Amino acid sequence: KNCFSLYKVIIAKKLQATHKVPATFKPKPDKVSTQLVAGLLYHYLIKLPSKQYAYVTVLDRQWKKEQYGQAEHVTVRPQLYALNDKNI
C-alpha cells in the first residue's frame, strides 16, 4: 500500500491518458502481487468505472529513494480485463 500511495497521482494520470477514465476517479488496487527483479515489481489490478480492470505495474527500487514518484516506473497496459480473464 505504501508503494501504491507514492505513485497514486501518476497512476491516475496514466489511467486517464490510456483508458479515458474521469479526472475525479480515485484508483485503488483490488488485487496486488509482487515480483522480485532488479527491485520489486508491483502488479496491480485496478477496477475502473466501466467494471473492467486495468493492469498497472510499478517498479520500486528501495535502495534508490531519489527515484520515487517518477513516471517512467509506472506502466499501464492498454488492454482491459475481466477479473477472471485468463490472460492476466
Side-chain angles (χ1 to χ4, degrees):
K1 296 250 179 186
N2 186 30
C3 181
F4 188 82
S5 64
L6 289 170
Y7 288 95
K8 191 172 189 174
V9 173
I10 296 170
I11 291 170
K13 287 180 184 177
K14 288 200 174 199
L15 285 171
Q16 290 169 11
T18 306
H19 297 297
K20 310 294 187 254
V21 295
T24 58
F25 177 70
K26 305 280 188 230
K28 61 181 179 182
D30 271 6
K31 294 201 177 234
V32 180
S33 67
T34 58
Q35 180 181 7
L36 185 60
V37 290
L40 272 176
L41 192 60
Y42 290 88
H43 303 274
Y44 298 106
L45 281 181
I46 299 173
K47 190 172 186 177
L48 300 178
S50 65
K51 306 293 187 228
Q52 292 182 310
Y53 290 85
Y55 191 97
V56 178
T57 57
V58 176
L59 177 61
D60 180 35
R61 293 185 177 138
Q62 296 177 353
W63 62 92
K64 294 187 176 184
K65 298 291 184 191
E66 69 277 359
Q67 292 185 354
Y68 278 133
Q70 295 183 2
E72 63 265 11
H73 294 177
V74 178
T75 305
V76 176
R77 287 187 185 173
Q79 303 92 346
L80 292 175
Y81 302 94
L83 186 58
N84 58 356
D85 195 334
K86 303 276 188 234
N87 295 321
I88 300 178

